[in-house]
Amino acid sequence: MPVTFKEMNTEEVQRYIEFEIPNYAESVSANLGIPKEAALKDGEKQLHNLLTEENRKKDHYIGNVFCEEQKENVGIIWYNIQRERDRIFIFHIYIDEAFRKMGYASAALTLLEEVARREKIGAIALNVFANNAGAQHLYSRLGYETASMVKTKKL
């Protein structure tokens, strides 16, 4: 199932930010026990700071995952090439619900491996929330290994 990455324009990035802030806050709140309002503020600040036009021109890439067969976008990928660490860091990979469990996430991650090889980058890294069992299974199946864990204790 061939996919390509289609870079987002400024308007698409703004729509993504508005879409992602509440989703990110929900995950942070549920997984790390941070109050939802604080997670919303943090998410808004982080996304607006990281996805400036300057950062996107420099080393952040955000684009749609485009399915050649379907002739439509099936998801989103946002990553950062970190040459000093010899890695690509995935900030977010998202497949629209209608296209999940069809191999698009695997195809996008495989394409990202090709990007890494072309850029002469030696590793791909990401964070995954503990309650996202589907993503954890996918990453394990594709050979990703756990490098660190954050533990919390609710009181």
Side-chain angles (χ1 to χ4, degrees), residues 54-111:
E54 179 183 344
N55 281 347
R56 292 194 325 270
K57 287 179 182 173
K58 186 171 48 174
D59 55 10
H60 280 263
Y61 176 90
I62 183 164
N64 293 299
V65 177
F66 182 80
C67 174
E68 299 292 337
E69 292 172 0
Q70 299 283 343
K71 302 275 188 258
E72 65 181 309
N73 295 328
V74 297
I76 295 166
I77 189 158
W78 169 21
Y79 62 86
N80 173 231
I81 296 176
Q82 300 173 341
R83 292 195 186 283
E84 69 284 357
R85 294 183 174 189
D86 191 31
R87 73 178 190 179
I88 290 178
F89 186 83
I90 302 171
F91 278 87
H92 195 204
I93 182 168
Y94 175 84
I95 301 300
D96 295 331
E97 285 191 41
F99 299 105
R100 290 185 186 164
K101 307 269 188 220
M102 302 170 119
Y104 292 113
S106 294
L109 290 166
T110 300
L111 178 57

Side-chain angles (χ1 to χ4, degrees), residues 26-53:
E26 185 68 38
S27 292
V28 166
S29 182
N31 284 276
L32 301 178
I34 296 170
K36 182 97 180 253
E37 286 303 313
L40 279 166
K41 286 180 185 176
D42 184 50
E44 185 172 353
K45 180 180 174 185
Q46 283 189 39
L47 272 95
H48 282 290
N49 287 340
L50 290 171
L51 288 173
T52 63
E53 194 164 332

